[in-house]
Amino acid sequence: MYVLLCMAFACLASFGDCLQLYIIEPGFGSNLNGMKEGFQIIPMPNFDTLVRETSEEVGLRYALRILTEEIPQLDRYETILIAGSRGSNILLESISNNIWIGPCIFVSPILNGGTNFGEDNYDDMIRILVNKGIDFLISTGTTTDEQLLIHEPVTEALVSNNISLLYLQQLNGDHDWVYETDNFLKVINMFYHAYPEYIQREEEEVDL
């Protein structure tokens, strides 16, 4: 575990040498701009305005257009796509529509519904991820709201789909817990711990 932690932090410290981290801006991406190294944000500057002035559906279509343009430039074998809070709705919709088919991390996901999943329907979420063969990690906070509204429903969905709870992790805090830089780094390490083959692949490439 300690070795994985050190290697994960080393990957973040040398962005570009290991898996690249791309964060979908809506949800929490814009609040992580102070942490410059280790990731890139996929900006969606008009998303909040569209949702506020029109509807969530219009904002979602706008976000998917941006991802459709951005994702072909990403190597799904070298990239982790990350989304938090309501930005998770965008990421799951992109997976559902085969726009993104690589590894991903959902941070305290809030689902507003999409083409193949309903609002707050975490069973649909797990079903889509499993059916698409996605390597995923879901992380949540530990407050009462996080526990009741996200962690427990996700736990039930994983169990009902016979998926290991290794892919669901918690960190102390409320819905904004990921804004702490250390917590964000811990989430990345949790992904590497759940999927050590990504670290092993980096070691093999270095050996070559």
Side-chain angles (χ1 to χ4, degrees), residues 17-156:
D17 295 332
C18 297
L19 290 176
Q20 298 188 9
L21 310 176
Y22 279 79
I23 301 175
I24 293 174
E25 183 178 34
F28 67 74
S30 59
N31 291 319
L32 287 171
N33 277 322
M35 207 173 78
K36 299 296 184 182
E37 289 193 38
F39 69 88
Q40 294 186 33
I41 291 176
I42 300 176
M44 299 178 179
N46 299 322
F47 178 81
D48 288 334
T49 301
L50 287 171
V51 170
R52 184 173 58 252
E53 297 182 355
T54 56
S55 68
E56 190 78 32
E57 182 180 355
V58 172
L60 183 57
R61 288 201 302 267
Y62 160 77
L64 289 180
R65 285 198 301 272
I66 291 178
L67 286 182
T68 300
E69 295 172 358
E70 292 287 336
I71 282 178
Q73 304 172 45
L74 307 181
D75 184 341
R76 71 185 182 96
Y77 298 105
E78 300 294 338
T79 304
I80 302 176
L81 204 54
I82 305 169
S85 191
R86 63 195 180 120
S88 299
N89 205 68
I90 299 169
L91 178 53
L92 186 60
E93 180 73 350
S94 73
I95 293 169
S96 177
N97 286 279
N98 297 314
I99 298 172
W100 176 249
I101 53 172
C104 58
I105 297 173
F106 295 88
V107 178
S108 293
I110 293 178
L111 304 181
N112 296 314
T115 304
N116 297 303
F117 59 96
E119 182 176 355
D120 297 327
N121 195 323
Y122 294 98
D123 192 66
D124 283 349
M125 177 185 191
I126 299 304
R127 174 180 50 79
I128 290 170
L129 295 173
V130 171
N131 289 344
K132 299 293 184 180
I134 301 296
D135 290 341
F136 69 90
L137 180 80
I138 300 171
S139 57
T140 71
T142 53
T143 56
T144 300
D145 285 348
E146 286 279 300
Q147 187 75 22
L148 293 177
L149 299 178
I150 304 176
H151 191 83
E152 290 183 4
V154 172
T155 299
E156 292 175 3

